[in-house]
Amino acid sequence: MVPRFLASLLLTPILTIYSDLLGILGGWVVSVFMLGIPNAPYWQYSRVELWQIAEGLIKSVFFGGSIGLISCYKGFNSAGGASGVGRACTESFVASFLAIIVENFVFAEISKEMYVALYGVRGIFM
């Protein structure tokens, strides 16, 4: 279980970085080449603060840990042959999805309070 958990825990932030970079570059391609938006304004308005990057990476570590723990638990406790494995996969997906929603809410509240404590209310709409 430990290698599976560690793989999920460590590779989720890498996947997050990869997905974020591809999303930014894909947005640039669509904006500049398909919509005709100039290059400079796209990068000016698409800038990301260090706080947002750190928050996303910290959250992804916890999300990966939740996915790893839930999936291993459901997988090791499956029974009933192939149909039991399919049921365990479905239960694992649903439980992981719900855990991520709850964790995201908790982290959003905590990070909002930390941001306000560190930087003031700049940029936060209440």
PDB file of all heavy atoms in Angstrom, residues 49 51 110-124:
ATOM      1  N   GLU A  49      -0.005  34.750  -9.141  1.00  0.00           N
ATOM      2  CA  GLU A  49       0.814  35.076  -7.982  1.00  0.00           C
ATOM      3  C   GLU A  49       1.395  33.813  -7.369  1.00  0.00           C
ATOM      4  O   GLU A  49       0.847  32.718  -7.517  1.00  0.00           O
ATOM      5  CB  GLU A  49      -0.027  35.808  -6.935  1.00  0.00           C
ATOM      6  CG  GLU A  49      -0.498  37.173  -7.362  1.00  0.00           C
ATOM      7  CD  GLU A  49      -1.305  37.870  -6.274  1.00  0.00           C
ATOM      8  OE1 GLU A  49      -1.411  37.320  -5.166  1.00  0.00           O
ATOM      9  OE2 GLU A  49      -1.811  38.958  -6.545  1.00  0.00           O
ATOM     10  N   TRP A  51       1.330  33.005  -4.378  1.00  0.00           N
ATOM     11  CA  TRP A  51       0.361  32.481  -3.416  1.00  0.00           C
ATOM     12  C   TRP A  51      -0.554  31.455  -4.085  1.00  0.00           C
ATOM     13  O   TRP A  51      -0.832  30.394  -3.516  1.00  0.00           O
ATOM     14  CB  TRP A  51      -0.470  33.626  -2.828  1.00  0.00           C
ATOM     15  CG  TRP A  51      -1.550  33.155  -1.918  1.00  0.00           C
ATOM     16  CD1 TRP A  51      -2.845  32.907  -2.245  1.00  0.00           C
ATOM     17  CD2 TRP A  51      -1.420  32.828  -0.555  1.00  0.00           C
ATOM     18  NE1 TRP A  51      -3.533  32.453  -1.170  1.00  0.00           N
ATOM     19  CE2 TRP A  51      -2.683  32.400  -0.096  1.00  0.00           C
ATOM     20  CE3 TRP A  51      -0.369  32.855   0.357  1.00  0.00           C
ATOM     21  CZ2 TRP A  51      -2.918  32.001   1.205  1.00  0.00           C
ATOM     22  CZ3 TRP A  51      -0.612  32.466   1.667  1.00  0.00           C
ATOM     23  CH2 TRP A  51      -1.866  32.047   2.073  1.00  0.00           C
ATOM     24  N   ILE A 110      -9.539  28.188   4.795  1.00  0.00           N
ATOM     25  CA  ILE A 110      -8.278  28.402   5.515  1.00  0.00           C
ATOM     26  C   ILE A 110      -7.355  29.327   4.727  1.00  0.00           C
ATOM     27  O   ILE A 110      -6.785  30.267   5.286  1.00  0.00           O
ATOM     28  CB  ILE A 110      -7.590  27.050   5.802  1.00  0.00           C
ATOM     29  CG1 ILE A 110      -8.390  26.259   6.829  1.00  0.00           C
ATOM     30  CG2 ILE A 110      -6.155  27.255   6.284  1.00  0.00           C
ATOM     31  CD1 ILE A 110      -7.918  24.831   7.021  1.00  0.00           C
ATOM     32  N   SER A 111      -7.216  29.077   3.433  1.00  0.00           N
ATOM     33  CA  SER A 111      -6.298  29.896   2.642  1.00  0.00           C
ATOM     34  C   SER A 111      -6.810  31.330   2.496  1.00  0.00           C
ATOM     35  O   SER A 111      -6.008  32.259   2.433  1.00  0.00           O
ATOM     36  CB  SER A 111      -6.044  29.268   1.272  1.00  0.00           C
ATOM     37  OG  SER A 111      -7.202  29.266   0.506  1.00  0.00           O
ATOM     38  N   LYS A 112      -8.126  31.511   2.448  1.00  0.00           N
ATOM     39  CA  LYS A 112      -8.661  32.878   2.386  1.00  0.00           C
ATOM     40  C   LYS A 112      -8.296  33.633   3.662  1.00  0.00           C
ATOM     41  O   LYS A 112      -7.844  34.783   3.597  1.00  0.00           O
ATOM     42  CB  LYS A 112     -10.178  32.856   2.202  1.00  0.00           C
ATOM     43  CG  LYS A 112     -10.778  34.257   2.097  1.00  0.00           C
ATOM     44  CD  LYS A 112     -12.279  34.226   1.995  1.00  0.00           C
ATOM     45  CE  LYS A 112     -12.831  33.987   3.362  1.00  0.00           C
ATOM     46  NZ  LYS A 112     -14.265  34.200   3.498  1.00  0.00           N
ATOM     47  N   GLU A 113      -8.456  32.992   4.803  1.00  0.00           N
ATOM     48  CA  GLU A 113      -8.117  33.646   6.067  1.00  0.00           C
ATOM     49  C   GLU A 113      -6.614  33.924   6.166  1.00  0.00           C
ATOM     50  O   GLU A 113      -6.213  34.980   6.650  1.00  0.00           O
ATOM     51  CB  GLU A 113      -8.583  32.793   7.247  1.00  0.00           C
ATOM     52  CG  GLU A 113     -10.091  32.660   7.353  1.00  0.00           C
ATOM     53  CD  GLU A 113     -10.803  34.001   7.519  1.00  0.00           C
ATOM     54  OE1 GLU A 113     -10.264  34.895   8.212  1.00  0.00           O
ATOM     55  OE2 GLU A 113     -11.883  34.154   6.942  1.00  0.00           O
ATOM     56  N   MET A 114      -5.801  32.982   5.702  1.00  0.00           N
ATOM     57  CA  MET A 114      -4.349  33.197   5.729  1.00  0.00           C
ATOM     58  C   MET A 114      -3.958  34.336   4.796  1.00  0.00           C
ATOM     59  O   MET A 114      -3.105  35.160   5.139  1.00  0.00           O
ATOM     60  CB  MET A 114      -3.617  31.917   5.343  1.00  0.00           C
ATOM     61  CG  MET A 114      -3.639  30.858   6.405  1.00  0.00           C
ATOM     62  SD  MET A 114      -2.857  29.325   5.886  1.00  0.00           S
ATOM     63  CE  MET A 114      -1.220  29.859   5.490  1.00  0.00           C
ATOM     64  N   TYR A 115      -4.565  34.406   3.613  1.00  0.00           N
ATOM     65  CA  TYR A 115      -4.256  35.462   2.660  1.00  0.00           C
ATOM     66  C   TYR A 115      -4.624  36.823   3.231  1.00  0.00           C
ATOM     67  O   TYR A 115      -3.846  37.786   3.132  1.00  0.00           O
ATOM     68  CB  TYR A 115      -4.990  35.214   1.339  1.00  0.00           C
ATOM     69  CG  TYR A 115      -4.612  36.177   0.250  1.00  0.00           C
ATOM     70  CD1 TYR A 115      -3.537  35.902  -0.580  1.00  0.00           C
ATOM     71  CD2 TYR A 115      -5.326  37.355   0.047  1.00  0.00           C
ATOM     72  CE1 TYR A 115      -3.174  36.774  -1.590  1.00  0.00           C
ATOM     73  CE2 TYR A 115      -4.960  38.232  -0.962  1.00  0.00           C
ATOM     74  CZ  TYR A 115      -3.892  37.941  -1.771  1.00  0.00           C
ATOM     75  OH  TYR A 115      -3.536  38.806  -2.761  1.00  0.00           O
ATOM     76  N   VAL A 116      -5.790  36.900   3.832  1.00  0.00           N
ATOM     77  CA  VAL A 116      -6.221  38.173   4.429  1.00  0.00           C
ATOM     78  C   VAL A 116      -5.297  38.558   5.575  1.00  0.00           C
ATOM     79  O   VAL A 116      -4.933  39.728   5.725  1.00  0.00           O
ATOM     80  CB  VAL A 116      -7.700  38.086   4.890  1.00  0.00           C
ATOM     81  CG1 VAL A 116      -8.079  39.281   5.740  1.00  0.00           C
ATOM     82  CG2 VAL A 116      -8.618  37.971   3.686  1.00  0.00           C
ATOM     83  N   ALA A 117      -4.879  37.584   6.385  1.00  0.00           N
ATOM     84  CA  ALA A 117      -3.982  37.880   7.503  1.00  0.00           C
ATOM     85  C   ALA A 117      -2.618  38.352   7.008  1.00  0.00           C
ATOM     86  O   ALA A 117      -2.013  39.247   7.605  1.00  0.00           O
ATOM     87  CB  ALA A 117      -3.824  36.648   8.380  1.00  0.00           C
ATOM     88  N   LEU A 118      -2.141  37.782   5.905  1.00  0.00           N
ATOM     89  CA  LEU A 118      -0.818  38.145   5.408  1.00  0.00           C
ATOM     90  C   LEU A 118      -0.819  39.397   4.533  1.00  0.00           C
ATOM     91  O   LEU A 118       0.074  40.229   4.641  1.00  0.00           O
ATOM     92  CB  LEU A 118      -0.217  36.983   4.605  1.00  0.00           C
ATOM     93  CG  LEU A 118       0.151  35.740   5.408  1.00  0.00           C
ATOM     94  CD1 LEU A 118       0.546  34.619   4.463  1.00  0.00           C
ATOM     95  CD2 LEU A 118       1.275  36.055   6.374  1.00  0.00           C
ATOM     96  N   TYR A 119      -1.797  39.519   3.658  1.00  0.00           N
ATOM     97  CA  TYR A 119      -1.786  40.573   2.645  1.00  0.00           C
ATOM     98  C   TYR A 119      -2.911  41.594   2.771  1.00  0.00           C
ATOM     99  O   TYR A 119      -2.972  42.525   1.994  1.00  0.00           O
ATOM    100  CB  TYR A 119      -1.854  39.968   1.236  1.00  0.00           C
ATOM    101  CG  TYR A 119      -0.709  39.035   0.949  1.00  0.00           C
ATOM    102  CD1 TYR A 119      -0.914  37.659   0.896  1.00  0.00           C
ATOM    103  CD2 TYR A 119       0.567  39.523   0.749  1.00  0.00           C
ATOM    104  CE1 TYR A 119       0.127  36.789   0.620  1.00  0.00           C
ATOM    105  CE2 TYR A 119       1.617  38.663   0.476  1.00  0.00           C
ATOM    106  CZ  TYR A 119       1.393  37.303   0.426  1.00  0.00           C
ATOM    107  OH  TYR A 119       2.422  36.447   0.150  1.00  0.00           O
ATOM    108  N   GLY A 120      -3.835  41.397   3.665  1.00  0.00           N
ATOM    109  CA  GLY A 120      -4.993  42.280   3.758  1.00  0.00           C
ATOM    110  C   GLY A 120      -6.073  41.827   2.810  1.00  0.00           C
ATOM    111  O   GLY A 120      -6.032  40.727   2.271  1.00  0.00           O
ATOM    112  N   VAL A 121      -7.064  42.661   2.596  1.00  0.00           N
ATOM    113  CA  VAL A 121      -8.213  42.258   1.769  1.00  0.00           C
ATOM    114  C   VAL A 121      -7.995  42.548   0.292  1.00  0.00           C
ATOM    115  O   VAL A 121      -8.927  42.456  -0.496  1.00  0.00           O
ATOM    116  CB  VAL A 121      -9.524  42.943   2.253  1.00  0.00           C
ATOM    117  CG1 VAL A 121      -9.895  42.432   3.612  1.00  0.00           C
ATOM    118  CG2 VAL A 121      -9.373  44.445   2.248  1.00  0.00           C
ATOM    119  N   ARG A 122      -6.793  42.867  -0.125  1.00  0.00           N
ATOM    120  CA  ARG A 122      -6.478  43.161  -1.518  1.00  0.00           C
ATOM    121  C   ARG A 122      -6.827  41.960  -2.397  1.00  0.00           C
ATOM    122  O   ARG A 122      -6.337  40.870  -2.236  1.00  0.00           O
ATOM    123  CB  ARG A 122      -4.993  43.461  -1.643  1.00  0.00           C
ATOM    124  CG  ARG A 122      -4.512  43.674  -3.039  1.00  0.00           C
ATOM    125  CD  ARG A 122      -3.028  43.997  -3.040  1.00  0.00           C
ATOM    126  NE  ARG A 122      -2.246  42.923  -2.450  1.00  0.00           N
ATOM    127  CZ  ARG A 122      -1.505  42.063  -3.160  1.00  0.00           C
ATOM    128  NH1 ARG A 122      -1.464  42.172  -4.451  1.00  0.00           N
ATOM    129  NH2 ARG A 122      -0.786  41.146  -2.563  1.00  0.00           N
ATOM    130  N   GLY A 123      -7.722  42.188  -3.336  1.00  0.00           N
ATOM    131  CA  GLY A 123      -8.042  41.157  -4.302  1.00  0.00           C
ATOM    132  C   GLY A 123      -9.097  40.164  -3.873  1.00  0.00           C
ATOM    133  O   GLY A 123      -9.417  39.267  -4.605  1.00  0.00           O
ATOM    134  N   ILE A 124      -9.657  40.303  -2.682  1.00  0.00           N
ATOM    135  CA  ILE A 124     -10.666  39.356  -2.225  1.00  0.00           C
ATOM    136  C   ILE A 124     -12.009  40.056  -2.205  1.00  0.00           C
ATOM    137  O   ILE A 124     -12.178  41.104  -1.604  1.00  0.00           O
ATOM    138  CB  ILE A 124     -10.325  38.809  -0.825  1.00  0.00           C
ATOM    139  CG1 ILE A 124      -9.017  38.098  -0.880  1.00  0.00           C
ATOM    140  CG2 ILE A 124     -11.443  37.983  -0.291  1.00  0.00           C
ATOM    141  CD1 ILE A 124      -8.833  36.921  -0.024  1.00  0.00           C
TER     142      ILE A 124
END
